[in-house]
Amino acid sequence: VQLQASGGGLVQAGGSLRLSCAASGRTFSSYTAGWFRQAPEKEREFVSAIRTAGGGTHYAGSVKGRFTISRDNAKNTVYLQMNSLKPEDTAVYYCAWAEGRMLAGLVHNSNRYPYWGQGTQVTVSS
Protein backbone atom coordinates (compact mmCIF):
# COMPACT_ATOMS: atom_id res chain seq x y z
CA VAL A 1 0.00 0.00 0.00
CA GLN A 2 1.32 3.39 -0.99
CA LEU A 3 0.03 6.67 0.36
CA GLN A 4 0.57 9.92 -1.47
CA ALA A 5 -0.07 13.08 0.52
CA SER A 6 -0.35 16.44 -1.16
CA GLY A 7 -1.78 19.91 -0.75
CA GLY A 8 0.57 21.49 1.74
CA GLY A 9 2.00 24.94 1.31
CA LEU A 10 2.50 28.38 2.75
CA VAL A 11 -0.56 30.35 3.83
CA GLN A 12 -1.27 33.36 5.99
CA ALA A 13 -3.02 33.04 9.30
CA GLY A 14 -6.75 32.76 8.76
CA GLY A 15 -6.31 31.09 5.41
CA SER A 16 -7.24 27.63 4.20
CA LEU A 17 -5.61 24.57 2.70
CA ARG A 18 -6.90 21.18 1.65
CA LEU A 19 -4.70 18.15 2.07
CA SER A 20 -5.25 14.98 0.09
CA CYS A 21 -4.10 11.44 0.79
CA ALA A 22 -4.48 8.93 -2.01
CA ALA A 23 -4.02 5.24 -1.29
CA SER A 24 -2.98 2.82 -4.00
CA GLY A 25 -1.91 -0.77 -4.30
CA ARG A 26 -5.02 -2.31 -2.82
CA THR A 27 -8.77 -1.90 -2.73
CA PHE A 28 -10.07 -1.38 0.78
CA SER A 29 -13.52 -2.57 1.77
CA SER A 30 -13.13 -0.83 5.10
CA TYR A 31 -10.40 1.29 6.60
CA THR A 32 -9.49 4.00 9.04
CA ALA A 33 -7.51 6.94 7.74
CA GLY A 34 -5.82 9.43 9.98
CA TRP A 35 -3.89 12.65 9.81
CA PHE A 36 -1.05 13.35 12.18
CA ARG A 37 1.35 16.27 12.31
CA GLN A 38 4.78 16.97 13.67
CA ALA A 39 6.16 20.41 14.36
CA PRO A 40 9.91 21.03 14.78
CA GLU A 41 11.23 19.64 18.05
CA LYS A 42 7.80 18.29 18.98
CA GLU A 43 6.35 14.82 19.01
CA ARG A 44 3.98 13.65 16.33
CA GLU A 45 0.40 14.33 17.32
CA PHE A 46 -3.01 13.20 16.21
CA VAL A 47 -5.06 15.62 14.13
CA SER A 48 -8.05 13.80 12.71
CA ALA A 49 -9.35 10.41 11.59
CA ILE A 50 -12.23 8.93 9.69
CA ARG A 51 -13.55 5.40 9.88
CA THR A 52 -15.54 3.61 7.23
CA ALA A 53 -16.48 0.76 9.57
CA GLY A 54 -18.71 2.12 12.28
CA GLY A 55 -18.53 5.53 10.72
CA GLY A 56 -17.48 8.61 12.50
CA THR A 57 -14.95 11.37 12.31
CA HIS A 58 -12.57 12.32 15.04
CA TYR A 59 -10.63 15.48 15.76
CA ALA A 60 -8.04 16.76 18.15
CA GLY A 61 -9.40 19.49 20.37
CA SER A 62 -7.00 22.02 18.88
CA VAL A 63 -8.48 21.66 15.39
CA LYS A 64 -12.11 20.85 16.09
CA GLY A 65 -14.40 23.30 14.36
CA ARG A 66 -11.67 24.41 11.97
CA PHE A 67 -10.64 21.19 10.20
CA THR A 68 -12.91 18.76 8.37
CA ILE A 69 -11.95 15.27 7.27
CA SER A 70 -13.77 13.55 4.44
CA ARG A 71 -13.30 10.64 2.07
CA ASP A 72 -13.97 9.55 -1.47
CA ASN A 73 -14.15 5.76 -1.43
CA ALA A 74 -14.22 5.49 -5.20
CA LYS A 75 -10.86 7.24 -5.34
CA ASN A 76 -9.42 5.70 -2.16
CA THR A 77 -8.67 9.26 -1.11
CA VAL A 78 -9.08 11.11 2.16
CA TYR A 79 -9.10 14.88 2.47
CA LEU A 80 -8.38 17.28 5.28
CA GLN A 81 -9.93 20.70 4.79
CA MET A 82 -8.15 23.15 7.05
CA ASN A 83 -9.76 26.53 7.66
CA SER A 84 -8.90 29.43 9.95
CA LEU A 85 -5.31 28.29 10.05
CA LYS A 86 -3.08 29.49 12.85
CA PRO A 87 0.71 29.72 13.08
CA GLU A 88 0.62 26.88 15.61
CA ASP A 89 -0.77 24.63 12.87
CA THR A 90 2.61 24.79 11.17
CA ALA A 91 3.97 21.26 10.87
CA VAL A 92 4.61 18.37 8.55
CA TYR A 93 1.31 16.59 8.08
CA TYR A 94 1.27 12.84 7.59
CA CYS A 95 -1.58 10.66 6.45
CA ALA A 96 -1.86 7.17 7.83
CA TRP A 97 -3.98 4.20 6.90
CA ALA A 98 -5.21 1.07 8.62
CA GLU A 99 -7.26 -1.62 6.96
CA GLY A 100 -10.38 -2.89 8.61
CA ARG A 101 -12.26 -1.83 11.70
CA MET A 102 -10.64 0.30 14.40
CA LEU A 103 -12.19 1.14 17.74
CA ALA A 104 -12.94 4.81 18.15
CA GLY A 105 -10.78 5.00 21.24
CA LEU A 106 -7.71 3.89 19.26
CA VAL A 107 -7.78 6.27 16.30
CA HIS A 108 -5.49 8.69 18.13
CA ASN A 109 -2.75 6.07 18.47
CA SER A 110 -0.22 6.31 15.66
CA ASN A 111 0.98 2.77 16.37
CA ARG A 112 -2.35 1.47 15.07
CA TYR A 113 -1.61 2.60 11.52
CA PRO A 114 0.74 0.38 9.52
CA TYR A 115 0.80 2.54 6.40
CA TRP A 116 2.13 6.08 6.25
CA GLY A 117 2.52 8.74 3.60
CA GLN A 118 5.64 10.82 3.09
CA GLY A 119 4.36 13.98 4.74
CA THR A 120 3.47 17.38 3.37
CA GLN A 121 4.65 20.67 4.86
CA VAL A 122 2.10 23.20 6.06
CA THR A 123 3.42 26.60 7.04
CA VAL A 124 1.16 29.29 8.44
CA SER A 125 2.61 32.78 8.69
CA SER A 126 1.39 35.33 11.20
Side-chain angles (χ1 to χ4, degrees), residues 57-109:
T57 57
H58 309 268
Y59 298 94
S62 59
V63 307
K64 200 167 188 178
R66 299 188 297 121
F67 291 10
T68 303
I69 192 169
S70 62
R71 57 185 168 89
D72 184 333
N73 288 342
K75 296 181 179 180
N76 260 1
T77 299
V78 171
Y79 305 96
L80 185 68
Q81 178 67 43
M82 305 186 296
N83 298 329
S84 302
L85 283 161
K86 304 176 181 180
E88 50 264 43
D89 294 317
T90 295
V92 177
Y93 283 70
Y94 298 90
C95 63
W97 213 272
E99 190 172 10
R101 179 182 294 270
M102 184 183 298
L103 296 176
L106 296 177
V107 301
H108 311 81
N109 186 344

